[in-house]
Amino acid sequence: MESVMQAAGKLMKVFVTRRIPQEGMKLLSAAGECEVSQWDSSEPVPRAELLKGVERADGLLCMLTDKIDAEVLDAAGPNLKVISTMSVGFDHLAVDEIKKRGIRVGYTPDVLTDATAELTVALLLATARRLPEGVEEVKNGGWSSWDPIWLCGYGLSGSTVGIIGLGRIGMAVAKRLMPFGVKRLLYSGRTAKPQAAELNGEFVPLDTLVPASDFIVLTCSLTPETQGLCDKAFFSKMKKTAVLINSSRGTVVNQDDLYEALSSGQIAAAGMDVTTPEPLPPNHPLLTLKNCVVLPHIGSATYATRGVMSVLTAQNLLAGLRGTEMPKELVL
């Protein structure tokens, strides 16, 4: 569809804040409607470059690491019609400010569900069965003869799993965990989910879930209610043999309190694909603990998923520029 801007004989200006998979960039090029400028790096765009890049832009394609606030919107100016973020999360966007200015927002839910769920299960197993420790022992000569007690961890068979936030990803994690012989599935959140019935999931208050669970998996959105949810009081209610897994947002967990809980034996172990800040500094206290597994936010990192994410992000952007329906629009 020919856009108003194109009809006026002028290409629409788009700023892309990072190097993205080629599939998405090819789509933007093939459309022939955009003049694309890009921060061509695998590192996040510096703030000054972001403010410069968005000047007079009609569209912005951004990442979860880019803080899009009033300052950025002011720098862009009144032409900005659409922000397309290559993420399912949108806590980096000043939603109220964006809504006030009538800017449309595209995002990428659904397409990363399977990849993130797989990674969450892998992280749970690696943490519970102490895989990173085992690999390290093989490398450093700690592996001697077989020992009946050495490197023992915790299994899923007969366990109770508690999932906080049974949305798309939470449900996909639950479906993958149940065949391991999980005995009970508990979940907490704002509302009961009808789809949980197929897994015999029990909707319970947090105060019931935390002390009963052998594994607690965080797949909730970041909201005022979930910010700092896992704190000293939370950890004190967990079993000493329980394992915490976080693939939601880093700030859902109070990391100082987590360090205390892990180092004192209050809880058994934790695995995190998200931290605060990201990246976590190499000298962070959590990285000194053997019972804490930290991954560099790679939940959706499969070649196929990232390719599909880049295409959806480009499609959302083009639809926003053309004033047509977006494949995945965030309702503000």
Side-chain angles (χ1 to χ4, degrees):
M1 183 186 289
E2 190 175 61
S3 68
V4 177
M5 291 295 285
Q6 207 184 1
K10 186 180 170 191
L11 291 174
M12 287 175 283
K13 187 179 174 195
V14 167
F15 182 58
V16 179
T17 66
R18 188 83 69 89
R19 194 180 294 154
I20 66 170
Q22 278 308 303
E23 295 96 318
M25 290 306 287
K26 280 177 186 164
L27 199 62
L28 294 180
S29 301
E33 300 166 51
C34 314
E35 177 197 320
V36 180
S37 58
Q38 179 185 33
W39 177 252
D40 191 14
S41 169
S42 53
E43 292 297 316
V45 60
R47 184 74 176 176
E49 294 294 334
L50 172 61
L51 293 171
K52 198 163 76 179
V54 297
E55 275 178 27
R56 297 187 301 282
D58 298 282
L60 172 63
L61 193 158
C62 68
M63 308 292 125
L64 194 64
T65 47
D66 306 318
K67 190 172 173 58
I68 310 301
D69 54 15
E71 186 185 23
V72 173
L73 301 175
D74 288 341
N79 285 351
L80 191 63
K81 299 174 185 59
V82 57
I83 296 166
S84 185
T85 181
M86 193 171 144
S87 64
V88 63
F90 48 87
D91 43 277
H92 56 305
L93 305 177
V95 174
D96 292 344
E97 195 64 37
I98 290 165
K99 185 179 180 180
K100 200 164 74 181
R101 299 176 192 226
I103 298 164
R104 295 170 71 190
V105 175
Y107 70 137
T108 61
D110 305 324
V111 295
L112 49 69
T113 300
D114 287 339
T116 305
E118 285 170 11
L119 190 279
T120 304
V121 172
L123 178 57
L124 186 151
L125 292 168
T127 305
R129 295 298 303 272
R130 301 169 68 177
L131 300 194
E133 272 185 86
V135 169
E136 197 50 46
E137 290 297 322
V138 172
K139 287 180 178 177
N140 68 21
W143 182 17
S144 54
S145 62
W146 183 83
D147 180 335
I149 299 164
W150 189 56
L151 280 177
C152 285
Y154 300 93
L156 280 160
S157 184
S159 70
T160 297
V161 170
I163 295 185
I164 299 176
L166 198 75
R168 285 180 295 262
I169 293 170
M171 189 66 186
V173 170
K175 281 179 177 172
R176 284 159 173 79
L177 289 178
M178 295 311 281
F180 282 92
V182 171
K183 192 174 173 188
R184 277 181 88 196
L185 173 67
L186 310 179
Y187 72 99
S188 287
R190 282 188 288 249
T191 54
K193 305 282 183 178
Q195 65 269 30
E198 64 184 272
L199 302 175
N200 295 319
E202 304 168 47
F203 181 54
V204 296
L206 213 50
D207 282 345
T208 303
L209 181 147
V210 177
S213 299
D214 299 298
F215 299 91
I216 296 178
V217 183
L218 305 173
T219 47
C220 49
S221 304
L222 178 61
T223 64
E225 294 77 49
T226 61
Q227 175 119 17
L229 174 74
C230 301
D231 57 7
K232 192 173 179 150
F234 183 100
F235 298 130
S236 71
K237 292 174 193 149
M238 284 176 67
K239 293 181 180 182
K240 284 195 174 350
T241 53
V243 175
L244 178 78
I245 301 296
N246 186 12
S247 52
S248 59
R249 284 286 173 269
T251 45
V252 172
V253 174
N254 179 316
Q255 289 176 176
D256 292 339
D257 291 354
L258 177 63
Y259 175 81
E260 201 55 50
L262 289 168
S263 56
S264 67
Q266 177 77 62
I267 67 172
M272 304 191 294
D273 186 38
V274 287
T275 60
T276 180
E278 290 183 2
L280 198 65
N283 63 352
H284 194 280
L286 282 173
L287 301 181
T288 64
L289 301 174
K290 286 184 174 178
N291 58 344
C292 187
V293 178
V294 181
L295 298 179
H297 202 151
I298 52 171
S300 63
T302 67
Y303 291 111
T305 299
R306 291 283 169 86
V308 171
M309 282 174 76
S310 74
V311 166
L312 180 54
T313 309
Q315 288 171 334
N316 284 335
L317 183 82
L318 290 168
L321 292 172
R322 293 165 180 160
T324 57
E325 191 180 339
M326 281 184 198
K328 292 290 175 185
E329 183 163 7
L330 185 63
V331 180
L332 302 179

